[in-house]
């Protein structure tokens, strides 16, 4: 695959995980090929948008044939790093940690959850989703020894800055941040994905408000 990722817009990148999900379902259903028009009907986006997005990474399709589902699924997986065997730790062993670790969100995306960290003596030593909760004081040593790639922050907003500082020097390359505080660690060479759950709720409320005003519901 030719590397055309350089300069790809964030909008295209943000759509890739959605392509991945749909292609995974098609692959599991033993569907061998699909056209951009068929995929567009499933995903409710235009066929031209799909072709444009895929062309950013080399195209993948064949004129008159469409897309080979298995091949396209594998290519999108490679682009997204699913096959790179990334590892992760969660910092903060609260309810959000339990919710995230309970499902298959990590394994389905090629990320292995190695450990969970907390500073509460009541939580240290517990096992959550088959993973041991360790003291935060062991974070740096553990991450260095196990070459951890990702830190998932599920601590309260008040502890976000302090926790982010603890990550520095651990070898962590990316942060999945659920603290509701906007973090930027790019100066340290660490990528951050800031997750604000309330934003999606407000977007939903806006959409419903628009529908009500237009009388479409």
């Amino acid at each position: 695959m030719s590397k055309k990722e350089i300069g790809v817009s964030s909008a295209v990148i943000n759509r890739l995980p959605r392509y991945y999900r749909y292609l995974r379902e098609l692959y599991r259903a033993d569907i061998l090929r699909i056209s951009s028009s068929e995929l567009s009907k499933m995903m409710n986006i235009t066929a031209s948008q799909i072709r444009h997005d895929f062309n950013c990474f080399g195209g993948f399709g064949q004129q008159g044939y469409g897309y080979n589902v298995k091949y396209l699924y594998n290519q999108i997986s490679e682009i997204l790093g699913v096959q790179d065997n990334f590892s992760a730790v969660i910092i903060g062993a609260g309810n959000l940690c339990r919710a995230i670790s309970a499902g298959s969100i990590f394994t389905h995306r090629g990320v292995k959850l190695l450990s969970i960290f907390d500073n509460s003596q009541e939580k240290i030593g517990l096992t959550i989703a088959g993973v041991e909760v360790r003291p935060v004081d062991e974070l740096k040593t553990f991450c260095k020894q196990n070459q951890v790639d990702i830190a998932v922050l599920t601590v309260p907003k008040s502890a976000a800055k302090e926790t982010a500082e603890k990550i520095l020097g651990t070898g962590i390359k990316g942060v999945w941040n659920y603290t509701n505080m906007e973090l930027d660690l790019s100066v340290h060479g660490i990528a951050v994905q800031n997750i604000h759950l309330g934003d999606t709720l407000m977007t939903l409320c806006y959409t419903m408000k628009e529908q009500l005003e237009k009388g479409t519901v």
Side-chain angles (χ1 to χ4, degrees):
M1 180 189 69
S2 62
K3 291 291 183 181
K4 294 189 178 182
E5 291 94 315
I6 299 174
V8 177
S9 72
S10 59
V12 173
I13 295 169
N14 289 337
R15 281 191 290 272
L16 290 179
R18 191 160 177 244
Y19 290 128
Y20 173 78
R21 285 191 286 109
Y22 276 87
L23 288 166
R24 184 177 63 198
E25 294 304 315
L26 290 168
Y27 180 54
R28 288 177 175 175
D30 292 325
I31 295 174
L32 300 179
R33 67 175 181 173
I34 191 167
S35 67
S36 56
S37 60
E38 290 170 331
L39 191 57
S40 72
K41 292 175 183 176
M42 292 176 60
M43 298 182 63
N44 197 30
I45 58 177
T46 65
S48 60
Q49 182 68 73
I50 291 172
R51 290 191 295 270
H52 170 270
D53 290 350
F54 292 164
N55 282 338
C56 292
F57 302 94
F60 311 129
Q62 299 176 26
Q63 187 69 31
Y65 178 88
Y67 299 102
N68 179 303
V69 170
K70 181 180 180 180
Y71 175 75
L72 182 57
Y73 172 64
N74 287 335
Q75 292 300 304
I76 299 297
S77 297
E78 182 180 339
I79 292 168
L80 289 171
V82 176
Q83 302 165 359
D84 288 7
N85 299 314
F86 289 129
S87 59
V89 297
I90 299 177
I91 307 174
N95 292 333
L96 182 54
C97 163
R98 291 179 180 274
I100 292 173
S101 59
S104 55
I105 193 167
F106 291 106
T107 56
H108 279 176
R109 290 154 185 84
V111 178
K112 185 176 182 180
L113 179 60
L114 298 181
S115 190
I116 298 170
F117 292 87
D118 203 282
N119 57 13
S120 170
Q121 292 299 318
E122 296 179 354
K123 296 175 182 177
I124 294 171
L126 295 177
T127 299
I128 299 175
V131 178
E132 180 184 355
V133 179
R134 304 171 186 268
V136 172
D137 291 344
E138 298 179 6
L139 176 67
K140 183 168 289 189
T141 300
F142 182 92
C143 289
K144 285 184 174 181
Q145 290 178 345
N146 293 277
Q147 298 181 318
V148 178
D149 302 298
I150 301 168
V152 185
L153 305 191
T154 58
V155 298
K157 184 177 181 180
S158 58
K161 186 176 180 181
E162 178 185 355
T163 304
E165 290 174 353
K166 291 181 183 296
I167 292 169
L168 305 182
T170 62
I172 291 290
K173 305 174 186 66
V175 173
W176 200 18
N177 175 30
Y178 279 87
T179 67
N180 272 332
M181 173 179 282
E182 204 82 9
L183 294 177
D184 183 356
L185 301 176
S186 57
V187 68
H188 301 287
I190 300 174
V192 179
Q193 186 72 32
N194 293 299
I195 308 298
H196 297 278
L197 295 175
D199 288 3
T200 58
L201 177 60
M202 294 179 72
T203 302
L204 175 63
C205 291
Y206 169 83
T207 303
M208 292 189 300
K209 182 174 179 290
E210 288 288 292
Q211 289 176 333
L212 288 169
E213 291 177 352
K214 293 178 180 178
T216 56
V217 293

